[in-house]
């Protein structure tokens, strides 16, 4: 059943440390602000530290800005090493940052930029931080995806991580969101198999009014985005509700996609079953293997044999 939950119901976060990626604007900024307001120490992982400091100056609470460029695996490693050197322990990782329908380009390591930012960077970050989680404080990883993951068949192209330039921007975005779902589900399975207290949640904001929809190009894409915005778009604050529900609520579930209804007046959090291609454990296992090879980050031993 949908859950009527508000940001006022965030439990006391005193003593907890949260890492929020993409925390200088949009959903990440709202999440960082509310976590800090409820007592958490929040590490704002941002690509532009100056922008992050400006955002931090407008908020109260214990917030720290650290540089993280998810499209550069060297930056991901440097960020994780800095947290380790500073002696941080972690209770929550909110894998929120992402790019949308941007022009075809490559990451620092030569991977298609949207897939590299939205998936590979977070895959590496989670693995590099996993041993910093405190085991006795309800540790959680929340990966932000999109309900759009259901719109295309087959999942991400794991044989061509550099990406085909002719592929549409929307398709590249949706494929990266499929990777988010597959990763979140596989992480949940592997954590359970390992007997870890860390839990992996999947959430999405619906269509929120952030800078990401504005990245659509061409009159057709912009027309679709603007039309959808009139119908279903909600504010960044309202879009953050499912993310923070997954991050903090004792009743949040794993193995489902937590998000809003398509009806933008409905603020309840809905737990949707994961459907194809997100429920393909064989594809998820292969994505994990490909991601390990691409990032050089290995964690949580495999347990699911890839189906032929």
């Amino acid at each position: 059943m949908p859950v009527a939950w508000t940001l006022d119901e965030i439990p006391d976060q005193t003593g907890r440390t949260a890492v929020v990626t993409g925390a200088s604007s949009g959903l990440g900024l709202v999440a960082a602000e509310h976590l800090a307001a409820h007592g958490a120490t929040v590490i704002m992982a941002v690509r532009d530290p100056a922008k992050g400091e400006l955002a931090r100056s407008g908020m109260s609470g214990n917030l720290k800005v650290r540089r993280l460029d998810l499209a550069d695996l060297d930056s991901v490693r440097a960020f994780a090493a800095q947290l380790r050197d500073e002696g941080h322990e972690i209770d929550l990782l909110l894998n929120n940052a992402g790019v949308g329908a941007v022009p075809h380009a490559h990451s620092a390591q030569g991977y298609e930029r949207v897939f590299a930012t939205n998936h590979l960077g977070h895959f590496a970050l989670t693995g590099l931080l996993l041993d910093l989680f405190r085991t006795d404080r309800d540790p959680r990883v929340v990966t932000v995806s999109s309900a759009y993951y259901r719109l295309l068949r087959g999942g991400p192209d794991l044989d061509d991580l550099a990406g085909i330039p002719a592929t549409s921007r929307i398709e590249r975005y949706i494929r990266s969101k499929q990777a988010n779902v597959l990763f979140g589900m596989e992480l949940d399975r592997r954590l359970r198999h390992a007997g870890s207290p860390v839990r992996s949640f999947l959430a999405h904001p619906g269509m929120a009014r952030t800078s990401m929809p504005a990245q659509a190009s061409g009159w057709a894409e912009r027309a679709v985005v603007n039309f959808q915005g009139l119908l279903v778009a909600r504010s960044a604050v309202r879009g953050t509700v499912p993310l923070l529900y997954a991050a903090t609520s004792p009743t949040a579930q794993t193995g489902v996609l937590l998000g809003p209804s398509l009806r933008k007046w409905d603020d309840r959090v809905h737990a949707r079953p994961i459907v194809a291609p997100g429920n393909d454990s064989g594809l998820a296992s292969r994505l994990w293997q490909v991601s390990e090879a691409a990032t050089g980050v290995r964690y949580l031993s495999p347990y699911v044999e890839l189906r032929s």
Side-chain angles (χ1 to χ4, degrees):
M1 294 292 293
V3 177
W5 190 87
T6 70
L7 296 177
D8 291 334
E9 296 180 63
I10 295 174
D12 182 17
Q13 300 294 295
T14 301
R16 293 177 65 79
T17 296
V19 175
V20 180
T21 67
S24 61
S25 63
L27 304 171
L29 177 60
V30 174
E33 181 176 19
H34 282 273
L35 288 168
H38 284 80
T41 295
V42 180
I43 299 171
M44 301 171 64
V46 301
R47 186 173 55 184
D48 183 347
K51 182 179 179 181
E53 289 291 354
L54 182 62
R56 187 185 68 84
S57 67
M59 297 186 288
S60 59
N62 190 6
L63 299 113
K64 304 177 182 181
V65 175
R66 298 292 183 268
R67 183 180 184 277
L68 171 66
D69 182 353
L70 288 161
D72 183 351
L73 294 172
D74 291 337
S75 175
V76 176
R77 290 183 181 277
F79 173 84
Q82 183 177 12
L83 295 197
R84 196 176 302 277
D85 291 343
E86 292 173 349
H88 287 291
E89 293 181 304
I90 299 171
D91 303 292
L92 168 66
L93 171 59
L94 178 52
N95 287 327
N96 160 77
V99 293
V102 297
H104 185 274
H106 292 117
S107 71
Q109 285 73 34
Y111 305 120
E112 192 277 312
R113 181 171 61 165
V114 177
F115 184 79
T117 303
N118 293 359
H119 169 65
L120 289 177
H122 281 128
F123 176 90
L125 179 66
T126 303
L128 292 169
L129 296 183
L130 197 57
D131 68 335
L132 297 183
F133 278 83
R134 286 185 280 206
T135 60
D136 60 341
R137 301 292 299 272
D138 188 21
R140 301 186 182 200
V141 177
V142 179
T143 300
V144 179
S145 184
S146 168
Y148 285 175
Y149 84 92
R150 301 172 295 180
L151 298 183
L152 295 176
R153 296 181 179 180
D157 184 355
L158 302 181
D159 296 318
D160 179 23
L161 299 191
I164 302 172
T167 305
S168 75
R169 298 183 185 193
I170 291 296
E171 180 176 345
R172 290 196 298 270
Y173 173 73
I174 292 174
R175 296 299 184 194
S176 74
K177 294 291 100 179
Q178 292 175 337
N180 289 153
V181 173
L182 290 163
F183 166 64
M185 292 291 286
E186 182 72 358
L187 179 62
D188 181 51
R189 286 188 285 265
R190 293 190 179 221
L191 288 167
R192 290 175 183 273
H193 179 76
S196 172
V198 181
R199 291 186 290 164
S200 170
F201 294 83
L202 283 164
H204 78 99
M207 189 172 181
R209 290 193 291 273
T210 68
S211 62
M212 191 172 292
Q215 295 169 347
S217 68
W219 69 267
E221 286 186 9
R222 286 195 295 270
V224 170
V225 168
N226 290 335
F227 178 69
Q228 289 179 325
L230 289 173
L231 293 178
V232 299
R234 59 195 69 222
S235 69
V237 173
R238 292 174 65 202
T240 307
V241 168
L243 281 57
L244 288 177
Y245 174 77
T248 67
S249 174
T251 62
Q253 300 171 260
T254 63
V256 294
L257 183 61
L258 299 167
S261 167
L262 284 176
R263 298 183 296 274
K264 70 177 184 178
W265 59 85
D266 182 359
D267 282 328
R268 295 175 299 172
V269 178
H270 296 250
R272 305 290 189 191
I274 302 297
V275 299
N279 59 358
D280 186 336
S281 60
L283 179 60
S285 180
R286 183 165 180 242
L287 173 66
W288 192 281
Q289 294 167 0
V290 168
S291 301
E292 286 184 334
T295 63
V297 177
R298 300 180 63 87
Y299 60 105
L300 294 176
S301 60
Y303 68 99
V304 176
E305 294 294 329
L306 182 62
R307 296 197 297 266
S308 58

